[in-house]
Amino acid sequence: MTTKKAFIFDLDGVIVDTAKYHFLAWKKIADQLGIEFTLEHNELLKGVSRVRSLDIILGLENVEASQEDKDKWLIQKNEDYLTYLVDMDENEILPGVFPILKYLKEKQQPIALGSASKNARPILEKTGILSYFDAIVDGNDVSNAKPDPEVFLIAAKKLGMSPEQSIVFEDSIAGIQAANIGKMISVGIGEEKTLHEARYVFQDFTHIETRFIDNLINKKIG
Ligand code: BG6
Ligand code: MG
């Protein structure tokens, strides 16, 4: 009997280094509005939907805006963000990710994407890893943003696995909270001090050994 688990990956900041592009695009809007926006503020935006991100930025300095202006800035942010993706290829895949995806495939483990981004599919296509995913759940499929676990619960369901059988790789505080609320095993990718709510934290995927993956696969549930 083979043991199976659902391996669910966030996209931005986990598979690809796009978190920096989101930051640069938001920073332009913030500068335009005279709002101070630092890398520390940016942590609050990770894993958070585009609409909510704008509200958080405006909230930093209690800026009130009409819906018309908000819509305009949301379009501007995304158009600017997309310019960073034009030349994207497999070189933007973060270190250690590809070997882990390959290992999971070899072990016939179900793999899903669980991302808040509405740009997820083109990014997976451009980086050439779309075929590794048995299911894709992105910002177009969910109505409740992380830390609501909806995105991961749908992903687990699509893979035919229970939440308890699911492992989530995340770089955002909101995403770790979503996995925990959903009763999944949360694996933080990034700084321990930021992601201390995660069950496990690794600086990046190069620090994850296949033994760790094997232990997750073989872990008895319930
Ligand atoms: C998340 C990012 O993955 O997707 C957030 O961490 C981003 O920073 C969100 O705002 C929505 O992405 P997009 O591509 O739909 O604007
Ligand atoms: Mg992320």
Side-chain angles (χ1 to χ4, degrees), residues 10 12 170-171:
D10 172 47
D12 296 309
E170 255 293 347
D171 70 318

Side-chain angles (χ1 to χ4, degrees), residues 10-14 19 46-47 146 170-172:
D10 172 47
L11 177 71
D12 296 309
V14 168
K46 288 186 179 174
K146 300 169 187 175
E170 255 293 347
D171 70 318
S172 72

Side-chain angles (χ1 to χ4, degrees), residues 132-163:
Y132 280 83
F133 293 86
D134 303 297
I136 291 172
V137 187
D138 65 21
N140 300 295
D141 306 309
V142 293
S143 26
N144 300 302
K146 300 169 187 175
D148 189 289
E150 184 185 16
V151 64
F152 298 140
L153 293 175
I154 298 175
K157 199 168 177 192
K158 280 195 172 189
L159 295 177
M161 310 294 279
S162 69

Side-chain angles (χ1 to χ4, degrees), residues 9 14 93-102 204-208:
F9 292 77
V14 168
I93 298 176
L94 283 163
V97 171
F98 198 55
I100 294 284
L101 287 174
K102 261 170 104 169
D204 61 43
F205 279 93
T206 64
H207 290 81
I208 300 185

Side-chain angles (χ1 to χ4, degrees), residues 87-107:
D87 297 323
M88 179 170 250
D89 59 21
E90 68 275 10
N91 293 316
E92 303 247 4
I93 298 176
L94 283 163
V97 171
F98 198 55
I100 294 284
L101 287 174
K102 261 170 104 169
Y103 187 72
L104 290 172
K105 269 282 165 246
E106 267 166 42
K107 296 274 168 180

